[in-house]
Amino acid sequence: MGEFLSQYGFLIVTMVQAGLLGLSLYFPLQAGQLSLASPGFYAVGGYVSAIMLTNPAFSGLRDSLGNGLFPLTWLAAALVCGVLGVIVGVPALRLRGIYLALATIAFVEILRVVSLNLDITGGAIGIFGIPQAFGFQDRWQYIWLFGPLLILTLLFARQLERSRVGRALRAIREDELAADAMGVPPTRYKVLAFVIGAVLAGIVGAMSAPFLNTWNAKQGTFDASIAILAFVLIGGSRNIWGPVVGGALLTAIPELLRFLADWRLVINGLVLVVASLYLPQGIVGALQRLRRTPPPQRPPSVAEVKGGTS
Amino acid sequence: MEASQLIQNLLNGLAIGSVYAIFALGYTLVFSILGIINFAHGAVFTLGAYFTYTLVVGQFENNGLLKGINLFPNGSPLSGNPWVFALATLVGAVIAGLIAVLIERLAFRPMRARGADPLLALVSSLGVALVIVNLIQLLVGAEIYNFPSDAYGQVQPALSFQVGEKVVIIRTVQVIIFAVSLVMLAVLGYVIGRTKVGKALRAVAENPGTASLLGISVDRFILITFFLSGFLGGLAGTLVGTAFGVAGPYFGVTYGLKGLAVIVLGGLGSIPGAVVGGLVIGLAEAFVPSQYSAYKDAVAFALLFVILLVRPQGLLGRAQIQKV
Amino acid sequence: MKRIALTVALGVLASAQAQKVQVPIPIGVALAQTSNTALLGQEQVIGARLAEKFINGRGGINGTPIKLVFQDAAGDENSAINAFQNLITKSAVVGIVGPTLSQQAFAADPIAERAKVPVLGPSNTAKGIPQIGQFIARVSAPVAVVAPNAVKQALKLDPKIKKVAVLYAQNDAFSTSETGTFQETAKAQGLDVVTVQKFQTTDTDFTTQVTSVLNSGADLVIVSGLAADGGNLVKQLRQLGYKGLIIGGNGLNTSNIFPVCQKYCDGVIIAQAYSPAQPSAANQLFVKEYRAQYKKDPPQFAAQAYAGVQVMVDALRAIDRRKKLSQWDLDDLRVELNKQILAGKYNTPLGELRFDKDGEIIQKEFYVAQIKMKDAKNGSFVYLK
């Protein structure tokens, strides 16, 4: 067991972490909003926690709080990302579909350039020597942070779906104009969903900075945006388990393919192509279909509207 | 700003911008027909450069499965002859176009046939890009390859002229790229605006359903679009490679991100928009004062963000009708 | 009776826990074999492979062969950590050479530190790497010591130099620390830094930066970057008419820049942590082997990776003389190997080197070379006295 944990513990935690990032994209998607801003908030959350945990300005706070500082970093990251989410979300969420996606990519990229240029973020080298949370000895122990966060997030997502807010979000996704006419203010709910995603990504970032020991501008990039989108789409975008399954699998595959040596990333690319061709509803969607016979017939136009590229 | 400085910045901006523009042409073409962003475009761009390199030089160095291969043991017969280089460039571009067609057949068409979420095309094309980039790495390694310096014949490295007391200079290669991108735009504009094929393409872009009712084979025109996109991408790859070297398998991929900014700024799916967007971003970057040069890369995305908020259809795009 | 059985059972358990050292001796190599860091990583892989071949060809460690276990660490932190975990647990390596980037080292080295596995960084030059822990050392000299010599050499070649333009790759950890040293040195030498320009390693077009340099009237240009961007910058400087001296930082110390700047590379002064001209027998053997196989001079990254493997093997050899490696418990050997690495003195292609108590390299010689191009593609680094 010890052997297994020390070899695969880190990977397992990153699988959970990927699932959480997938969920952070899933919340706005519930309201039909394709936002790729998660890596940006993830990076900001990480910087907030890395700065609080290493910057001399916070040394007094560190001494007096001890391990209590770690939850405080999560809170601070959540707060910063929440506020940033509102600032970015209010103007950006007037856009739809691919346009919103591109605007959020721009946001991520601007953040990256800014963090390369600031002294407080450590420039290109970034911040290093970040202390381990709660004196953890091994990286797999971070499962005690990411695991409960995942469970809480899933519970929250379930509650949200069943609540009035969840119904409002779905109404907006299916037909924004109609929802508006029925008295559901779309902008407020869209920003709400976006901010929930931002806060989640920020907390994940804040937990990840000690987990990686170091934080730099490469943590929030365009590549990560697309990777997280892949988690959600390959996992299934219609079910809360989709992003979790997708994130876990797509993170694990390149690692499990290590025995292929030079070919592993070629095969990883093929997996992405094949999965998007043969699992159009995502893995979870396909499993649901298998369970339910006969499969529910959906008119093809539904798929098109849901993507919202138009 | 002095006149010479102004002109220098203008030239610099046009030089950089035309590189962005020729990358973005093929990118936006696919969007105009299918409404998808093809992340594999950067990889096809890279492939074009590698194909031309193989035809012209035919030698790969220390790494990869093709290590030590030598197509022309007695020195390249093509070296130094700009016409032969041009021919190799065209052949390289045609092969890149065929690869793009193959990508469409294997990675996009099955998805369309199933009526899958068009967003999945992003993931699928990302997968294709991963495959191509890592195959290049596997075959020829990550080394930097470069075309012979006399690929365009014996030309001066730079052109300079006097403005007032100061001298304004520009690299000859970039003048060539600028000229070629204008020619490409003109030819593309002619094909799409004036020919029968172009009319059909526009019909498919407008409304695939109606087009197929009119007897246009939609799949065939999507193939033609991909061929054109790959051809333009491959051609651009070689051109940019002559200016900057073919800097490894990720050579084209790095343009993919800025290319997004370019095509959005110009208007998604608008062909003149890609050129205008490229030039605008190039100029904006060139006019960033040098003490803020560190923020140069943010300029394109700040522009992208602003234009989306003010005019989501981009500079030259048509307003989208809200489908309800 | 029961107690004896228990003791036996515990003993069996304990011996199952204490892993023996495998033969051939596995040494881990975690470098960037993919991603856009692979340009550096593949040179390192070549260097490590040459070391393995050479060492085993000469009887390995007193007769016991070594086996390098490669795990791709790509260019990101997660891959580096996963590669380290695989090497430590699955491949039971005695030590690790890697990773390629300093940022990756900050993430992955603590894993090895925790598992008490010695690590030698072949190219991690940022401040603070050896301080990550007792088990972390590097064979790559920090930038602060490499850069100043080059400025002095440039002043020797052209004493009239007054104004300096400095350019650096802002997204590269190595280049950003190197440029600091360059700028301090330039000021200390009484030079006037007239412009500082930033770029990205992924940039290709430097027209704007070059025009600023030309406008500043600089008579010395110092470039800190990597092969592709640095090479393009040199080429564009020359094409647009810059005539003065150019100093390239340590990141440009690779023949990979030749195909980029071609004939324009000629005359660039390079700060080197490794030179093929280094006269020691160890280096000349390495250079001969490398030339025989690749028809060109070995690059610095290959030499450093080679040195990393060699240091591990030399240290293992010393341990083996005291007690055969195959008789060691793996955990004990790793601790002992770390001690031995820090204690020893090594004749590597980098010249003679040893380590201070932190694991920081103490390298005797640094070099300054000037590029001489034979034709458009081939050139060499000519050692400047």
Side-chain angles (χ1 to χ4, degrees):
Chain A
M1 190 60 189
E3 191 102 327
F4 178 81
L5 269 184
S6 62
Q7 180 166 355
Y8 293 108
F10 176 81
L11 178 61
I12 291 168
V13 178
T14 47
M15 286 162 70
V16 175
Q17 182 202 35
L20 280 162
L21 288 175
L23 281 172
S24 75
L25 199 152
Y26 173 79
F27 283 108
L29 206 59
Q30 266 195 301
Q33 305 304 308
L34 177 65
S35 152
L36 300 181
S38 292
F41 294 113
Y42 171 73
V44 170
Y47 275 123
V48 167
S49 119
I51 290 167
M52 289 176 71
L53 292 169
T54 59
N55 201 290
F58 290 91
S59 62
L61 199 61
R62 283 198 292 277
D63 292 340
S64 54
L65 281 180
N67 277 335
L69 186 60
F70 292 104
L72 194 66
T73 62
W74 310 338
L75 207 66
L79 209 70
V80 171
C81 290
V83 172
L84 193 61
V86 174
I87 295 172
V88 177
V90 169
L93 287 161
R94 287 159 45 203
L95 300 164
R96 349 175 116 243
I98 199 83
Y99 292 93
L100 173 63
L102 293 165
T104 50
I105 284 176
F107 161 74
V108 172
E109 197 53 21
I110 291 169
L111 273 184
R112 185 187 70 82
V113 175
V114 170
S115 61
L116 265 180
N117 279 291
L118 297 182
D119 283 334
I120 194 167
T121 51
I125 298 166
I127 297 171
F128 56 88
I130 302 169
Q132 292 292 300
F134 306 108
F136 284 167
Q137 298 286 323
D138 286 305
R139 304 289 174 104
W140 64 261
Q141 290 170 304
Y142 278 84
I143 201 76
W144 306 129
L145 302 187
F146 289 110
L149 181 63
L150 178 66
I151 294 168
L152 283 178
T153 309
L154 287 171
L155 287 176
F156 174 76
R158 172 142 301 173
Q159 282 315 109
L160 187 75
E161 267 177 22
R162 288 177 184 161
S163 72
R164 206 173 52 83
V165 178
R167 283 195 299 277
L169 295 180
R170 273 197 302 283
I172 295 167
R173 176 179 67 196
E174 296 306 337
D175 193 330
E176 192 175 325
L177 292 182
D180 199 3
M182 304 282 287
V184 177
T187 313
R188 194 185 303 166
Y189 281 104
K190 285 191 318 197
V191 173
L192 179 67
F194 184 77
V195 169
I196 293 173
V199 167
L200 177 60
I203 297 175
V204 176
M207 289 180 175
S208 299
F211 174 57
L212 279 187
N213 245 218
T214 179
W215 205 253
N216 53 49
K218 286 189 304 177
Q219 303 306 323
T221 60
F222 166 65
D223 296 345
S225 291
I226 304 302
I228 297 175
L229 176 67
F231 298 164
V232 177
L233 294 181
I234 299 292
S237 58
R238 289 293 216 169
N239 184 299
I240 42 172
W241 290 102
V244 181
V245 172
L249 270 182
L250 293 190
T251 310
I253 287 173
E255 288 307 318
L256 299 180
L257 291 177
R258 273 190 182 271
F259 68 95
L260 291 172
D262 292 346
W263 286 92
R264 87 185 163 109
L265 292 187
V266 177
I267 305 298
N268 188 33
L270 279 180
V271 169
L272 283 183
V273 176
V274 171
S276 37
L277 293 186
Y278 292 99
L279 299 167
Q281 307 290 329
I283 296 166
V284 174
L287 289 178
Q288 279 177 329
R289 276 185 154 191
L290 274 182
R291 275 214 320 241
R292 267 186 256 148
T293 40
Q297 289 292 319
R298 283 211 183 93
S301 62
V302 173
E304 225 166 280
V305 173
K306 152 185 121 189
T309 38
S310 49
Chain B
M1 199 182 284
E2 292 172 55
S4 63
Q5 180 71 42
L6 186 79
I7 295 176
Q8 182 70 59
N9 283 351
L10 266 174
L11 287 179
N12 290 351
L14 293 176
I16 305 166
S18 59
V19 172
Y20 295 158
I22 61 172
F23 177 86
L25 272 178
Y27 216 14
T28 207
L29 194 61
V30 166
F31 189 92
S32 72
I33 300 284
L34 288 183
I36 59 172
I37 288 168
N38 174 16
F39 283 129
H41 186 66
V44 172
F45 174 94
T46 313
L47 277 179
Y50 274 94
F51 286 135
T52 310
Y53 179 86
T54 313
L55 291 169
V56 173
V57 185
Q59 247 178 308
F60 291 102
E61 285 176 359
N62 296 335
N63 285 286
L65 302 174
L66 293 183
K67 161 182 162 180
I69 194 177
N70 192 349
L71 296 180
F72 313 110
N74 300 320
S76 164
L78 306 180
S79 184
N81 185 338
W83 294 111
V84 184
F85 179 76
L87 183 68
T89 305
L90 279 180
V91 176
V94 168
I95 304 176
L98 295 176
I99 299 272
V101 167
L102 197 68
I103 294 173
E104 198 277 328
R105 289 302 296 260
L106 297 179
F108 292 124
R109 183 175 296 187
M111 205 178 281
R112 272 205 316 285
R114 290 200 187 85
D117 188 338
L119 281 179
L120 269 173
L122 293 180
V123 180
S124 176
S125 63
L126 175 79
V128 172
L130 256 177
V131 171
I132 294 179
V133 164
N134 283 290
L135 271 180
I136 295 176
Q137 162 108 42
L138 205 57
L139 290 175
V140 302
E143 273 109 317
I144 303 165
Y145 291 99
N146 212 339
F147 297 104
S149 51
D150 50 5
Y152 295 127
Q154 300 300 330
V155 289
Q156 276 183 304
L159 307 171
S160 60
F161 46 91
Q162 200 85 22
V163 175
E165 306 224 317
K166 293 263 178 73
V167 179
V168 170
I169 34 179
I170 179 144
R171 295 173 70 207
T172 317
V173 192
Q174 299 199 294
V175 177
I176 295 173
I177 292 183
F178 183 66
V180 173
S181 57
L182 287 186
V183 170
M184 274 159 67
L185 177 69
V187 172
L188 201 60
Y190 175 80
V191 168
I192 289 184
R194 295 291 155 86
T195 63
K196 237 177 129 181
V197 175
K199 271 188 196 138
L201 280 180
R202 276 182 295 155
V204 174
E206 201 68 47
N207 191 332
T210 318
S212 70
L213 284 181
L214 291 171
I216 297 171
S217 162
V218 174
D219 274 342
R220 203 174 119 230
F221 279 96
I222 288 176
L223 277 188
I224 293 178
T225 308
F226 268 84
F227 177 78
L228 278 177
S229 159
F231 179 84
L232 293 171
L235 193 62
T238 304
L239 279 172
V240 175
T242 57
F244 309 120
V246 184
Y250 289 83
F251 161 60
V253 177
T254 47
Y255 288 96
L257 180 56
K258 205 160 269 175
L260 273 184
V262 168
I263 61 177
V264 174
L265 191 66
L268 272 173
S270 158
I271 285 157
V275 175
V276 172
L279 296 182
V280 168
I281 288 182
L283 285 169
E285 288 184 351
F287 277 92
V288 173
S290 72
Q291 65 267 37
Y292 300 116
S293 65
Y295 287 92
K296 208 184 67 177
D297 268 21
V299 168
F301 295 96
L303 273 176
L304 165 67
F305 201 80
V306 171
I307 193 94
L308 279 174
L309 298 185
V310 183
R311 194 181 150 83
Q313 69 270 33
L315 294 174
L316 299 185
R318 282 173 307 168
Q320 297 268 329
I321 298 151
Q322 189 62 58
K323 286 179 194 163
V324 180
Chain C
M1 188 64 203
K2 226 177 203 171
R3 189 175 290 167
I4 295 172
L6 197 68
T7 327
V8 170
L10 278 176
V12 168
L13 262 179
S15 68
Q17 292 277 309
Q19 220 177 334
K20 283 284 170 202
V21 177
Q22 295 170 21
V23 175
I25 311 292
I27 296 174
V29 181
L31 297 167
Q33 288 170 271
T34 60
S35 85
N36 49 8
T37 313
L39 182 63
L40 311 178
Q42 72 184 13
E43 287 186 349
Q44 299 179 309
V45 168
I46 289 179
R49 287 228 162 90
L50 266 181
E52 181 184 33
K53 196 178 134 203
F54 181 76
I55 288 161
N56 282 339
R58 303 209 150 189
I61 299 168
N62 308 326
T64 315
I66 61 162
K67 187 183 86 197
L68 295 189
V69 186
F70 288 86
Q71 281 292 352
D72 177 18
D76 62 305
E77 287 73 17
N78 285 359
S79 301
I81 292 178
N82 281 316
F84 268 51
Q85 295 281 26
N86 266 294
L87 291 171
I88 294 170
T89 323
K90 204 160 97 193
S91 311
V93 299
V94 296
I96 297 175
V97 177
T100 303
L101 300 176
S102 293
Q103 291 105 317
Q104 293 179 294
F106 287 128
D109 285 356
I111 301 277
E113 174 69 20
R114 163 84 185 125
K116 298 197 165 53
V117 177
V119 173
L120 281 176
S123 52
N124 315 136
T125 47
K127 217 160 97 183
I129 300 271
Q131 288 74 24
I132 291 173
Q134 292 176 331
F135 285 81
I136 313 303
R138 60 175 159 197
V139 292
S140 42
V143 278
V145 287
V146 188
N149 299 343
V151 179
K152 288 175 200 144
Q153 279 290 353
L155 283 172
K156 216 190 273 178
L157 288 177
D158 182 1
K160 291 198 297 293
I161 291 172
K162 281 276 166 307
K163 295 182 187 171
V164 187
V166 178
L167 302 101
Y168 71 96
Q170 184 211 2
N171 60 339
D172 179 49
F174 173 77
S175 302
T176 47
S177 24
E178 190 187 54
T179 195
T181 317
F182 269 129
Q183 290 177 36
E184 280 162 31
T185 314
K187 281 176 199 143
Q189 298 283 327
L191 301 174
D192 184 14
V193 177
V194 285
T195 177
V196 176
Q197 297 278 320
K198 303 171 185 179
F199 56 90
Q200 314 279 319
T201 49
T202 49
D203 279 353
T204 43
D205 191 306
F206 301 97
T207 330
T208 339
Q209 286 93 338
V210 171
T211 334
S212 302
V213 170
L214 293 175
N215 286 336
S216 73
D219 39 20
L220 174 67
V221 172
I222 304 179
V223 180
S224 290
L226 299 176
D229 44 323
N232 261 313
L233 191 41
V234 168
K235 174 178 176 177
Q236 290 168 35
L237 272 166
R238 290 297 186 215
Q239 287 194 328
L240 292 175
Y242 174 72
K243 297 275 191 310
L245 278 174
I246 300 176
I247 293 178
N250 197 226
L252 275 66
N253 185 22
T254 160
S255 49
N256 268 326
I257 79 165
F258 298 156
V260 189
C261 45
Q262 298 176 323
K263 63 181 188 216
Y264 300 106
C265 305
D266 207 67
V268 175
I269 297 167
I270 303 275
Q272 298 180 308
Y274 166 73
S275 162
Q278 206 278 337
S280 75
N283 184 44
Q284 288 314 312
L285 258 172
F286 167 66
V287 172
K288 209 178 105 202
E289 291 261 324
Y290 191 96
R291 276 198 192 129
Q293 203 163 340
Y294 299 105
K295 314 274 177 293
K296 61 178 184 184
D297 280 346
Q300 177 179 317
F301 281 103
Q304 286 174 330
Y306 184 101
V309 175
Q310 193 204 322
V311 166
M312 286 228 172
V313 169
D314 284 356
L316 284 167
R317 203 173 277 139
I319 297 171
D320 186 70
R321 277 193 217 105
R322 300 200 292 267
K323 177 182 167 191
K324 274 276 161 217
L325 290 181
S326 52
Q327 288 162 13
W328 282 84
D329 282 340
L330 180 60
D331 291 339
D332 299 340
L333 180 63
R334 285 167 169 175
V335 174
E336 185 66 20
L337 174 59
N338 188 55
K339 256 191 237 154
Q340 184 63 43
I341 287 174
L342 296 183
K345 203 193 257 180
Y346 309 90
N347 278 315
T348 69
L350 306 176
E352 187 191 297
L353 61 88
R354 53 199 176 83
F355 301 92
D356 73 6
K357 61 176 185 351
D358 279 344
E360 181 64 277
I361 184 177
I362 304 173
Q363 186 175 343
K364 264 197 162 166
E365 294 151 286
F366 294 99
Y367 317 88
V368 179
Q370 197 166 20
I371 297 177
K372 267 271 156 314
M373 296 301 292
K374 264 200 298 281
D375 51 55
K377 262 184 75 184
N378 302 295
S380 56
F381 295 95
V382 179
Y383 179 51
L384 290 180
K385 257 277 163 268

